[in-house]
Amino acid sequence: MTMSDNVWIIGASMTKFGRFADQDLLDLASTASLDALADSGQGMADMGMLTMGNVYEANSHNGQRLQKQIGQTGIPVYNVVNACATGATAVRVAMMGIKAGECDMALAVGVEKMGKMGMLGGAARKAGDKKIFTPKGRYGAVVKTEGLLGTGLMPGVFAQAGTEYALAHGVTTEQFAKVAVKNHLHSTLNPLAQYRKEFSLDEVLGAEVIGYPNTLPMCCPTGDGAAAVVLVSDAKLKTLDPDVRRRAIKISASVMTSDPWADGGQVQPDVNTLTRLAADQAYEAAGIGPEDLDLVELHDCFATAELIHYDNLRLCEPGGAGDFIDSGAPLRDGRIPVNVSGGLLSKGHPIGATGIANLYEVATHLRGEAGDRQIEGAKVGLTHVIGLASACAVHVLEAPAA
């Protein structure tokens, strides 16, 4: 087995996202895995590696447990956890195995069972805890810092990030809300989305405020779901059936970054810098620019996040994200359609699955198989995820030239 320059997606699948009381983690992961294998025309016996992304049950050896459901072949299994970038990280681990020559075909799976677990972020204090003002913990704090020195609660982090951008560049609450209007509209065409309800601008603005300026329809829901991709080396692809080769999607860039040092980053997570770094590296690796993209699936955990990532991913002029949404450019029929799936806001965000679900969405369009929501003639797409702590992954996908 030789080292591979290119890695291709030959199978991709995702379950419907939602809440499935009658299915556990392995049920969802098995469904996505078997569907991706069937889509690729390969079997579990053809896989040389399995990577499994999951956050909330990450100590349960889920990759090995999944094998017991779909086929135990003795191959290496990597259990991956990396916040909201978990699924994308599982894909990168599989890619690195192929690129290193350890295998020529791999299955990457992402799955999460979140149900209605509520707001993600800062740790809760036990009801019976006494207030004892003595230094404790890694930083010797005498009181809990949540809300006093920044926040670790997700709505607060992205409310702050959006507000800072708005103050610097004159973005309005209505412009943030238009992101949610767009994504909920897009979701009505996606049968796999958790929610498929259209909202007017007035409905979005008039809903309960969760973390200003984000109202409830501007925040992603928790939920359950799984997604999977089958990856193959360039050399192995050439040996496969012509129908498999015809639908193969090239991963022309795969980049991951973490936080570099930034002023204020110890108080308030900086979601911008690592995204800009990842995007710039991905464009360079793929030999393209943002103007070449036919669609983008980015990490809209909140409406404010999507708007600032227009700028971070270089989809608009610096400081121009408000004008970008006003222009209609990120709509399905716009210049650079963004989150045609409905995005996290309405497609849902089962954390471990999201990074792979984004790849599924873009690959489906590049194959011309996205049905009612198809972006006609799509040839190049970008996916982006970011998980606080932080981890950012950007992938560029390309349809075959033929």
Side-chain angles (χ1 to χ4, degrees):
M1 204 172 295
T2 58
M3 292 178 67
S4 173
D5 290 330
N6 293 321
V7 176
W8 300 74
I9 295 172
I10 57 169
S13 74
M14 66 175 279
T15 67
K16 180 175 172 58
F17 284 0
R19 296 193 175 104
F20 303 104
D22 60 339
Q23 296 183 61
D24 67 13
L25 192 85
L26 295 181
D27 293 327
L28 293 166
S30 297
T31 298
S33 299
L34 293 172
D35 286 351
L37 287 167
D39 185 53
S40 73
Q42 313 304 309
M44 194 61 198
D46 300 305
M47 299 300 109
M49 179 180 293
L50 170 65
T51 62
M52 162 65 104
N54 174 257
V55 176
Y56 286 103
E57 298 176 52
N59 62 346
S60 301
H61 308 95
N62 292 310
Q64 287 84 349
R65 293 169 68 211
L66 174 62
Q67 278 196 114
K68 292 178 181 177
Q69 299 295 313
I70 66 173
Q72 292 173 271
T73 57
I75 59 175
V77 173
Y78 293 88
N79 290 292
V80 178
V81 56
N82 209 9
C84 298
T86 290
T89 306
V91 171
R92 278 186 51 77
V93 171
M95 282 187 67
M96 288 188 285
I98 291 172
K99 281 180 170 285
E102 289 194 7
C103 63
D104 54 24
M105 207 176 291
L107 173 65
V109 191
V111 62
E112 209 71 62
K113 278 281 290 185
M114 298 175 73
K116 300 187 74 169
M117 64 167 50
M119 193 179 296
L120 307 184
R125 182 173 62 88
K126 293 179 183 176
D129 282 359
K130 294 179 180 178
K131 290 185 177 179
I132 301 173
F133 298 103
T134 55
K136 63 180 179 179
R138 179 180 295 274
Y139 302 109
V142 294
V143 293
K144 188 176 179 182
T145 59
E146 173 63 39
L148 300 175
L149 299 173
T151 182
L153 294 169
M154 299 302 105
V157 169
F158 288 95
Q160 177 72 11
T163 300
E164 288 178 359
Y165 189 88
L167 291 173
H169 303 295
V171 175
T172 66
T173 306
E174 287 76 12
Q175 287 169 325
F176 285 124
K178 284 181 180 179
V179 171
V181 173
K182 170 184 71 72
N183 289 356
H184 289 295
L185 176 63
H186 286 173
S187 73
T188 62
L189 297 176
N190 185 359
L192 299 178
Q194 183 166 343
Y195 295 112
R196 302 180 66 190
K197 179 182 177 182
E198 194 174 342
F199 287 84
S200 70
L201 185 63
D202 286 343
E203 285 174 326
V204 173
L205 290 168
E208 178 187 1
V209 175
I210 303 301
Y212 182 84
N214 289 313
T215 63
L216 187 59
M218 297 163 74
C219 305
C220 69
T222 57
D224 312 331
V229 289
V230 175
L231 306 178
V232 66
S233 69
D234 212 34
K236 182 68 173 178
L237 179 65
K238 291 180 172 68
T239 71
L240 299 179
D241 187 277
D243 284 338
V244 174
R245 298 202 302 271
R246 177 181 55 81
R247 296 173 68 243
I249 299 300
K250 181 182 175 183
I251 303 177
S252 56
S254 175
V255 175
M256 178 162 279
T257 57
S258 61
D259 287 330
W261 172 262
D263 283 344
Q266 301 301 95
V267 173
Q268 185 69 25
D270 170 22
V271 300
N272 300 310
T273 309
L274 78 165
T275 295
R276 291 182 190 134
L277 291 172
D280 290 348
Q281 291 174 39
Y283 291 134
E284 183 176 357
I288 65 162
E291 68 279 359
D292 299 312
L293 297 172
D294 295 310
L295 75 160
V296 173
E297 286 285 311
L298 62 76
H299 200 75
D300 61 318
C301 46
F302 298 88
T304 49
E306 174 162 330
L307 191 128
I308 64 177
H309 288 319
Y310 295 155
D311 201 322
N312 293 330
L313 296 173
R314 319 297 189 185
L315 306 184
C316 64
E317 294 296 315
D323 292 338
F324 187 73
I325 186 69
D326 280 347
S327 75
L331 285 165
R332 236 187 103 254
D333 56 357
R335 182 167 55 85
I336 305 181
V338 177
N339 287 334
V340 177
S341 65
L344 281 58
L345 293 184
S346 45
K347 180 183 67 178
H349 184 28
I351 287 178
T354 290
I356 301 181
N358 287 356
L359 292 169
Y360 163 83
E361 180 69 20
V362 171
T364 300
H365 284 273
L366 299 185
R367 287 169 153 183
E369 299 173 1
D372 291 341
R373 67 186 187 284
Q374 176 69 43
I375 301 301
E376 290 304 322
K379 296 296 182 188
V380 183
L382 179 146
T383 69
H384 158 263
V385 289
I386 183 170
L388 290 190
S390 293
C392 178
V394 171
H395 288 88
V396 176
L397 303 186
E398 294 188 50

